[in-house]
Amino acid sequence: VPGALLELDIDALAAGGDGVGRGPDGRVVFVPFTAPGDRVRVRLVEERARFARGELESLVEPGPGRVEPPCPVFGRCGGCAWQHLSVEAQLAARRDILRDALERVGRLGPLPDIDFVPSPAAYGYRGRARIRVEGGSVGFRRRRSHALCAVAGCPLLAPPLDAALARLVADPPAGSGEWELVMGVDGTVRQSALPPPAGAPAVELEVAAQRLRVSPGVFVQANALLLDRLVSEVVEAAGSGDAFLELHAGAGTFTLGLARRFAGGVAIESSRAAASDLRHNLGAAGADHVRVVRAEASLRRLRGVLRDLRPDAVVLDPPRAGVGREVAGALARLAARRIVHLACDPATLARDLAVFRAGGWLVTRVTGFDLFPQTPHVEALAVLEREPRA
Ligand SMILES: C[S@@+](CC[C@H](N)C(=O)[O-])C[C@H]1O[C@@H](n2cnc3c(N)ncnc32)[C@H](O)[C@@H]1O
């Protein structure tokens, strides 16, 4: 009954970040801001046939992975769900979330061991942020709400971005809206309104020793400290050869590295601003052997591209929705040597990998990247190779 109080043990963390325990009737209960090993008193707020949701009333006995959250708005701000967990407890939980998605949801098991690349720092790592301004207040969205959570700073931001946020707080722009902060080379910060006004300046990033122009609103990987490592892992996994096909290329985070390893290639990107940055960045790197196609990676566009491209490697980095059955099915039919699939949502990655698996591909490597410390988000790189024919 909603409102009822229960006492239970938290056994694990769910993909959304909530702690998971079992009520006296054996039903699963999700409780935000709890940790594995906690004994907690919980007030039920929602009941369904197969699970319930509760809010933490009090901590009876803390689990071993608990730490004191450093941020004064932790619990109210929608940005972080895991500041109450040690770095080790967070990593263990992300590994379990990824393995569970691939083995249970995607039914891909047994899989190779999952390596995890930790973030060099658990705070001060973010190289981009979206800040909301509402009538003189500055902050992020509240948890499970569109309302503003006003902040004085954010411990996740790289120091130059946190300083820029503090300047916005001290002198907020008039009206209401969203602002994007991105950290460029030498700690420069580009601050732009969203959607970006015409002529808003780009920022220069240095990624794996290459310069990258990125216009306002164009995707930038969030963890500035892991970016070089991520790029080298993705590019090395792709190998080398005559041609690559890249989908979701953005401004060219991986494309510049791929261009150095392949004699030719096609990079597909749907955003006009990102595709324009990508063309600029390839041109500045002298990589005119790579063709940019500005299009949604649909089955029809892919067929067009593949009429005169025989890729040795395919590199994918889709948004949370994944690539989808149709496109994954078409890619699975290619005679490529490997598919390198980077994903920010383990559940949609599992679904896409199942399509490749059915098409005769084996997952030969899975690496997790700790791109988002203090949150349950998991970035995963899966490498697939053709199943040897019996
Ligand atoms: C996760 S970001 C990755 C960008 C780039 N790989 C990087 O690391 O900077 C996904 C990119 O895919 C693009 N995108 C989204 N849907 C797409 C689609 N259906 N076809 C092609 N590109 C798409 C987005 O504009 C975005 O640039």
Side-chain angles (χ1 to χ4, degrees):
V1 192
L5 278 173
L6 313 174
E7 201 171 298
L8 45 86
D9 295 311
I10 299 298
D11 307 316
L13 290 156
D18 293 351
V20 187
R22 283 194 185 271
D25 54 0
R27 188 165 40 169
V28 166
V29 185
F30 293 99
V31 192
F33 307 118
T34 57
D38 279 354
R39 178 140 189 98
V40 290
R41 207 163 287 127
V42 165
R43 186 174 296 280
L44 289 185
V45 292
E46 183 186 344
E47 281 199 277
R48 300 284 181 89
R50 297 180 54 192
F51 68 90
R53 292 187 191 282
E55 293 287 344
L56 180 63
E57 275 283 312
S58 60
L59 191 58
V60 179
E61 186 71 47
R66 265 199 179 265
V67 296
E68 199 52 46
C71 180
V73 295
F74 177 65
R76 273 185 284 142
C77 177
C80 293
W82 277 4
Q83 285 190 17
H84 63 295
L85 294 169
S86 69
V87 170
E88 297 73 30
Q90 293 187 29
L91 267 178
R94 281 191 208 98
R95 192 189 303 266
D96 289 347
I97 287 168
L98 179 54
R99 180 168 288 285
D100 185 63
L102 299 182
E103 290 189 348
R104 194 175 55 82
V105 183
R107 298 184 188 188
L108 290 163
L111 288 170
D113 283 347
I114 298 179
D115 280 335
F116 240 92
V117 182
S119 178
Y123 287 96
Y125 66 83
R126 280 194 73 103
R128 72 163 152 94
R130 288 188 167 196
I131 314 286
R132 303 187 62 76
V133 177
E134 279 178 32
S137 293
V138 175
F140 302 100
R141 280 192 205 285
R142 275 178 185 254
R143 176 173 169 256
R144 293 183 185 160
S145 157
H146 291 296
L148 186 84
C149 175
V151 301
C154 171
L156 263 51
L157 301 189
L161 288 192
D162 202 28
L165 171 57
R167 288 194 293 275
L168 278 174
V169 171
D171 186 15
S176 294
E178 206 177 9
W179 294 78
E180 182 188 57
L181 302 178
V182 176
M183 183 172 66
V185 276
D186 304 327
T188 54
V189 175
R190 184 200 59 209
Q191 179 176 318
S192 167
L194 289 179
V203 66
E204 286 269 315
L205 304 190
E206 193 171 282
V207 181
Q210 304 227 52
R211 285 294 171 110
L212 209 63
R213 178 187 95 179
V214 184
S215 293
V218 169
F219 179 88
V220 177
Q221 296 285 350
N223 190 321
L225 308 180
L226 256 186
L227 185 54
D228 284 0
R229 177 73 188 270
L230 181 72
V231 170
S232 64
E233 296 268 350
V234 167
V235 168
E236 275 167 34
S240 57
D242 289 335
F244 69 89
L245 170 65
E246 185 188 13
L247 312 189
H248 326 98
T253 305
F254 307 121
T255 324
L256 295 185
L258 294 170
R260 287 196 289 196
R261 294 173 151 256
F262 289 84
V266 172
I268 305 182
E269 164 58 46
S270 62
S271 144
R272 197 173 291 281
S276 154
D277 286 344
L278 179 57
R279 286 199 179 96
H280 169 92
N281 291 327
L282 286 165
D288 49 13
H289 57 298
V290 178
R291 188 158 73 90
V292 174
V293 174
R294 195 204 66 81
E296 297 262 328
S298 66
L299 196 54
R300 190 178 62 80
R301 293 307 294 246
L302 216 50
R303 282 201 183 118
V305 165
L306 291 168
R307 259 200 291 277
D308 38 34
L309 185 78
R310 298 280 168 276
D312 302 296
V314 179
V315 176
L316 319 167
D317 181 16
R320 295 195 75 79
V323 274
R325 274 177 208 291
E326 237 190 11
V327 169
L331 296 174
R333 287 190 289 278
L334 290 176
R337 282 208 298 271
R338 61 190 68 84
I339 298 174
V340 176
H341 193 326
L342 186 67
C344 56
D345 183 347
T348 56
L349 174 65
R351 186 202 61 198
D352 289 339
L353 292 184
V355 177
F356 293 130
R357 186 73 198 88
W361 292 81
L362 283 180
V363 179
T364 55
R365 198 180 120 199
V366 180
T367 307
F369 289 87
D370 208 8
L371 290 194
F372 313 100
Q374 317 311 330
T375 81
H377 295 297
V378 183
E379 185 83 9
L381 174 68
V383 180
L384 296 110
E385 286 170 37
R386 276 238 166 259
E387 196 165 22
R389 286 183 202 282

